[in-house]
Amino acid sequence: ENEAAPTRVATVELVFGPEPGSDDDQQPVSMRRSVQPGADGSQFAINGAGVSQADYLARLESLGIYPKARNFLVLQGDVQKTARRQGKELTRMLEEVAGSWELKADYEALQAEKFHREDAARELYVQRRNAVQEKKRVAQQKEEAKRYEKLEKQRKELQVEFYLYRLLCLRHKIEQQEGQWKEIEAERAAAAADVEAVMEN
């Protein structure tokens, strides 16, 4: 009988603890990942207790390690590759190392919301400015209407005074004509009497 081949397992374990000589009484944290040929995926453990991959990655991120950003271990050739990067490529790498790349979607969403609110604020400012101008225009129209009413009232009063003056002038003229008519009538009557006296003689 053939002896069973020994099981091969690849394991990586990181232990985080206080620095030597420090007064920090924080307990060490053990992070372990194991890979076994033929097994379904990797096995993850924190302080020896099995956990899901999501919990494992979340705990790493809480410790400032972002596996996707590769900001924990520096691989061979990374220094030269980094030195050759420029522009957007270098910015992308720095964002990945800092972990800010994971927040890009949130940042873009917040930026879009910021632009939207700025547009809304500008629109609100324009509306308020237009409302102030409209209020000012209405106030001016109201003032002009009052001024027109005042002038119209003065015009009517002057018109009444003018007609009263004309009536007074006509009345005075009629009185003058009536006086002249009486004088003429008296002269006519006197002349008629003189004529009648002459004829009798």
Side-chain angles (χ1 to χ4, degrees), residues 130-148:
N130 293 340
V132 171
Q133 292 178 350
E134 181 66 16
K135 184 178 180 180
K136 184 178 180 180
R137 185 181 66 82
V138 171
Q140 290 177 346
Q141 289 181 346
K142 186 176 180 180
E143 188 66 24
E144 290 177 358
K146 289 182 178 180
R147 183 170 176 270
Y148 172 80

Side-chain angles (χ1 to χ4, degrees), residues 169-187:
C169 291
L170 288 173
R171 181 179 178 181
H172 182 66
K173 186 175 182 180
I174 290 172
E175 290 177 351
Q176 286 182 344
Q177 289 179 350
E178 286 180 349
Q180 292 176 358
W181 175 257
K182 288 179 180 180
E183 290 177 359
I184 293 172
E185 185 63 23
E187 291 177 357

Side-chain angles (χ1 to χ4, degrees), residues 61-199:
E61 291 181 2
S62 71
L63 296 171
I65 299 174
Y66 301 91
K68 293 182 180 180
R70 298 170 62 185
N71 66 341
F72 183 62
L73 298 178
V74 179
L75 304 181
Q76 292 182 358
D78 280 357
V79 175
Q80 291 82 356
K81 289 171 59 178
T82 301
R84 288 194 297 268
R85 293 183 180 180
Q86 295 179 354
K88 293 183 178 180
E89 185 180 5
L90 179 60
T91 301
R92 170 66 182 272
M93 186 209 71
L94 294 175
E95 289 177 346
E96 290 180 351
V97 171
S100 60
W101 183 258
E102 300 292 333
L103 304 175
K104 181 180 179 182
D106 293 338
Y107 171 79
E108 292 178 347
L110 292 174
Q111 188 178 41
E113 183 179 358
K114 173 179 173 289
F115 291 152
H116 175 71
R117 292 190 177 185
E118 288 177 348
D119 291 340
R122 281 193 293 268
E123 184 177 356
L124 180 60
Y125 170 77
V126 172
Q127 291 177 355
R128 288 182 177 177
R129 184 186 62 186
N130 293 340
V132 171
Q133 292 178 350
E134 181 66 16
K135 184 178 180 180
K136 184 178 180 180
R137 185 181 66 82
V138 171
Q140 290 177 346
Q141 289 181 346
K142 186 176 180 180
E143 188 66 24
E144 290 177 358
K146 289 182 178 180
R147 183 170 176 270
Y148 172 80
E149 291 176 357
K150 183 179 180 180
L151 292 176
E152 181 65 14
K153 183 179 179 180
Q154 292 178 353
R155 185 189 70 82
K156 290 181 179 180
E157 291 175 352
L158 291 174
Q159 193 174 32
V160 170
E161 291 179 2
F162 172 73
Y163 287 135
L164 289 175
Y165 175 75
R166 289 193 62 184
L167 289 173
L168 182 61
C169 291
L170 288 173
R171 181 179 178 181
H172 182 66
K173 186 175 182 180
I174 290 172
E175 290 177 351
Q176 286 182 344
Q177 289 179 350
E178 286 180 349
Q180 292 176 358
W181 175 257
K182 288 179 180 180
E183 290 177 359
I184 293 172
E185 185 63 23
E187 291 177 357
R188 187 190 67 77
D194 292 341
V195 171
E196 185 176 354
V198 172
M199 291 181 64

